[in-house]
Amino acid sequence: MPQRPSRTAAKRPVHASVPPAAAVFAALGDETRLTLVRKLTTGPPRSISQLTQGSKLSRQAITKHIRVLQRAGVLRSIRQGRETLCAFDPKPIQAAQAYLDSLSEQWDQALSRLKSFVED
Amino acid sequence: MPQRPSRTAAKRPVHASVPPAAAVFAALGDETRLTLVRKLTTGPPRSISQLTQGSKLSRQAITKHIRVLQRAGVLRSIRQGRETLCAFDPKPIQAAQAYLDSLSEQWDQALSRLKSFVED
DNA sequence: TTATATTGCAACCAGGAGGTTGCCTATGCA
DNA sequence: TGCATAGGCAACCTCCTGGTTGCAATATAA
């Protein structure tokens, strides 16, 4: 929980360690990519071939999805010998959570204002 | 996206009040749409014209974005006289939060397993 | 009733997303 | 050394997305 990505991520830090919320949501907005993310949150880092196994898609298709997730910061990968190991990085997800939390909070406040207005 | 139009429409329960997580994330994966959502979480329901004001985009473009958000369940809209009022619906966002929470939890558990494994 | 404002609908367009295939390089192993 | 495995690159295809414009329909206001 001691995360440093600014909780109010609306300021657009140029050196953003984490891409803007919309980019993270876009990366998560695909079943195939969500499946990859779930695989990597539940288990150890895996190679592209391993991630391709069990999928109907070609290795290249999976590679493209992995790159989308990488650009969003959700995954990191390092070349290890002849294979490329992909690992989950929790920071962008935490940023996305913070974003949704702020949305919910705004909504709750709007509801409160409406309620007290009606009660007058 | 593999499963685009519901060619296999038996994929999710008919009374799903909330579309699958990926659909919600996809809807939120666009700056313009995030801006619309923020506007409607902070304020009262607004018409399409009102939502278009202050944007560089045409009314039709905004309309299309609104429909994307509607399909994801994030917005609801009702015709009121000659204008269409759009309002925020918190359910899909809450579902998305729950999804991210479960991801985080899985990740934490994976870390714990790794830790206790290393310590042995 | 006649304007004016608010939408919806349809056509159209450019570009990007998702997917495949073929080929090449690099690494590990017998 | 030679071969199988892992992955990168590039070309190509199709369809969706995000945007525009023009026009018709409806509802309000004067």
Side-chain angles (χ1 to χ4, degrees), chain B residues 113-120:
Chain B
R113 283 196 299 274
L114 177 62
K115 195 183 169 197
S116 57
F117 173 78
V118 168
E119 283 173 349
D120 285 349

Side-chain angles (χ1 to χ4, degrees), chain B residues 21-70:
Chain B
V24 179
F25 289 134
L28 298 179
D30 180 284
E31 272 328 325
T32 302
R33 289 196 287 270
L34 273 191
T35 302
L36 289 173
V37 170
R38 272 196 307 265
K39 244 179 228 176
L40 290 173
T41 52
T42 50
R46 257 165 276 195
S47 72
I48 293 178
S49 290
Q50 286 174 320
L51 289 172
T52 301
Q53 283 176 7
S55 164
K56 302 280 187 193
L57 300 183
S58 69
R59 172 181 57 88
Q60 280 309 314
I62 298 294
T63 298
K64 285 193 181 181
H65 283 296
I66 288 175
R67 287 215 242 267
V68 171
L69 290 167
Q70 278 183 150

